[in-house]
Amino acid sequence: MRFFFYGTLRDPEVRRTVLGVRAARLSVRPAVLPGFRPYRARRGAFPILVRRSGARVRGELAEGLELDDLLRLFNFEGPDYRPQRLLAVDAEGRRLDAWVLLADSARRASAAPWTLRRWQLHHKARLMPQVRLWVREFERLESGSVEIAWPVRRRLKAWRESGDLGD
């Protein structure tokens, strides 16, 4: 399964913390997502993608994700994000389907742009202890008890039943 990471999951330490040993088996490469621009959230230092004609957001395509990885990603992102299949463009110019976790409302975005570098310099150190706590709490739970919004649970169930955990 292919995902496009555009925010804090582009940071290798965050990705390793969230996915654990599974992160090492992913194939990760640069890509862009046309039609979006990243803005800082009104409440928090994380990015919210907003549709903007002619814009594009830099990110990474991550391939090799499995169902257990998705549960970890959805737990990390929280209930306000929904998976959506979009077209990303890799470094060779190929347009590829990729799943993207988008905020349920662009109204959550401020007018301030978001960049990974600025986040790493000013906010990462404060977030990492919280991420480690979330992961420890997640690992103590059974996957069925994880607080994941019903549309996401429905999508995960469909993926599991179809066996379509590839591209």
Side-chain angles (χ1 to χ4, degrees), residues 5-88:
F5 295 151
Y6 59 88
T8 58
L9 285 165
R10 289 176 56 205
D11 182 279
E13 182 182 7
V14 173
R15 197 167 47 245
R16 277 191 309 272
T17 302
V18 171
L19 296 174
V21 296
R22 295 173 165 106
R25 71 168 154 58
L26 295 180
S27 169
V28 180
R29 64 184 194 268
V32 296
L33 184 66
F36 290 89
R37 179 160 290 139
Y39 291 94
R40 184 175 168 167
R42 289 181 190 270
R43 297 183 183 175
F46 51 91
I48 302 283
L49 289 188
V50 177
R51 289 188 187 273
R52 292 282 183 259
S53 180
R56 63 186 205 151
V57 59
R58 290 180 1 168
E60 295 174 343
L61 287 173
E63 295 189 64
L65 291 153
E66 296 177 8
L67 184 62
D68 289 343
D69 304 322
L70 301 184
L71 290 172
R72 288 173 169 270
L73 290 177
F74 295 150
N75 181 66
F76 172 69
E77 295 293 354
D80 298 329
Y81 283 77
R82 304 284 186 270
Q84 188 171 346
R85 197 168 217 171
L86 300 170
L87 285 176

Side-chain angles (χ1 to χ4, degrees), residues 76-138:
F76 172 69
E77 295 293 354
D80 298 329
Y81 283 77
R82 304 284 186 270
Q84 188 171 346
R85 197 168 217 171
L86 300 170
L87 285 176
V89 180
D90 70 7
E92 289 79 39
R94 292 178 295 196
R95 296 172 58 88
L96 302 166
D97 279 340
W99 291 98
V100 182
L101 287 169
L102 296 175
D104 61 2
S105 174
R107 290 178 292 185
R108 296 178 185 271
S110 71
W114 185 92
T115 68
L116 178 63
R117 184 73 182 135
R118 187 176 305 130
W119 176 82
Q120 289 169 321
L121 288 172
H122 301 288
H123 304 284
K124 179 180 173 180
R126 285 192 310 256
L127 177 68
M128 289 310 297
Q130 184 66 45
V131 173
R132 288 192 264 295
L133 176 64
W134 291 335
V135 169
R136 281 193 306 272
E137 289 173 353
F138 175 82

